[in-house]
Amino acid sequence: MADSSKKVFLQPSEISRRVKELAGEISRDYAGEEILMIGVLKGAFIFMADLVRALSIPCQTDFIRAASYGAGTESSGKIVMTKDVELVVDGRNVLIVEDIVDSGLTLQYIVDTLKARNPKSVKVCAFLDKRSRRKVPFEADYVGFTMDDGFIVGYGLDFNEQYRYLPAVYVIDPVGHHKNEEQQ
Ligand code: PRP
């Protein structure tokens, strides 16, 4: 990312420190229990990889994938599951791990879907929370960082499937990036 339309929002050191804090909090809250950590693909894969390795409690892992109809930077409102979890949810302490809560529609759908399968408990851990963008009143139980509006990439988050691999989190100008791509 060598263009001028990006700004560092979170450095890797800040991310690492906060992930360890979250893992400590989660490990204390679930002391004596086992959790089933369910990552929401694709964006959560890096956050979940760091979080799971910082836990001090037993944990199984699985993944789910949901998509909203429509392209671009906005959720359209209609969510569909495109990959289900493979492990049994019944009786488990489910901890859903997500990269970002925006409108809240994706997590509301996933929480409702998993709650219908008789889990012992369901909680949500989100790396980033764009609180001002909610279309539904959704609250995550654990939040890494809150932010105002802005388009972000890195640490699992993408723009047109680019930049997920970046170790820092950047705010970009999506319009500027469209222009840059058209010029290439
Ligand atoms: C992003 C993000 C969340 C969702 C949040 O996923 O990872 O799942 O949008 O938006 P919402 O709160 O408005 O529902 P995206 O559909 O971009 O897929 P990805 O994780 O594969 O990048």
Side-chain angles (χ1 to χ4, degrees), residues 21 25 34 47 62 76 105-106 125 127-128 162 167 178 181:
E21 282 174 4
E25 208 181 318
E34 183 181 69
F47 176 45
D62 204 342
S76 65
L105 290 163
T106 303
C125 178
F127 176 63
L128 283 164
Q162 299 179 81
H178 275 305
E181 282 171 5

Side-chain angles (χ1 to χ4, degrees), residues 9-152:
F9 178 63
L10 296 168
Q11 294 284 5
S13 56
E14 295 174 72
I15 296 171
S16 169
R17 196 165 52 237
R18 185 69 186 121
V19 170
K20 286 189 177 77
E21 282 174 4
L22 286 172
E25 208 181 318
I26 291 166
S27 300
R28 282 192 295 279
D29 290 353
Y30 288 94
E33 305 266 345
E34 183 181 69
I35 59 177
L36 171 57
M37 188 181 281
I38 298 177
V40 183
L41 294 171
K42 300 179 194 174
F45 80 109
I46 290 178
F47 176 45
M48 179 158 157
D50 284 346
L51 188 65
V52 75
R53 286 179 292 172
L55 290 178
S56 55
I57 52 167
C59 176
Q60 292 185 347
T61 52
D62 204 342
F63 294 93
I64 195 168
R65 181 146 170 73
S68 60
Y69 279 119
T73 59
E74 295 267 340
S75 291
S76 65
K78 171 72 179 163
I79 310 291
V80 288
M81 192 193 303
T82 53
K83 185 221 171 293
D84 203 346
V85 295
E86 291 160 20
L87 300 178
V88 173
V89 165
D90 190 343
R92 310 297 310 277
N93 291 305
V94 170
L95 180 63
I96 301 163
V97 177
E98 178 63 290
D99 57 345
I100 188 163
V101 197
D102 192 328
S103 69
L105 290 163
T106 303
L107 275 169
Q108 186 186 58
Y109 169 86
I110 290 173
V111 166
D112 288 350
T113 300
L114 295 176
K115 273 188 174 166
R117 297 180 188 176
N118 197 34
K120 186 174 178 188
S121 65
V122 178
K123 283 189 180 182
V124 172
C125 178
F127 176 63
L128 283 164
D129 190 352
K130 275 190 186 174
R131 302 189 59 83
S132 62
R133 301 249 316 161
R134 289 294 196 285
K135 289 181 183 164
V136 288
F138 180 87
E139 289 289 335
D141 300 278
Y142 305 95
V143 172
F145 300 92
T146 54
M147 65 175 294
D148 298 327
D149 204 4
F151 199 88
I152 49 168

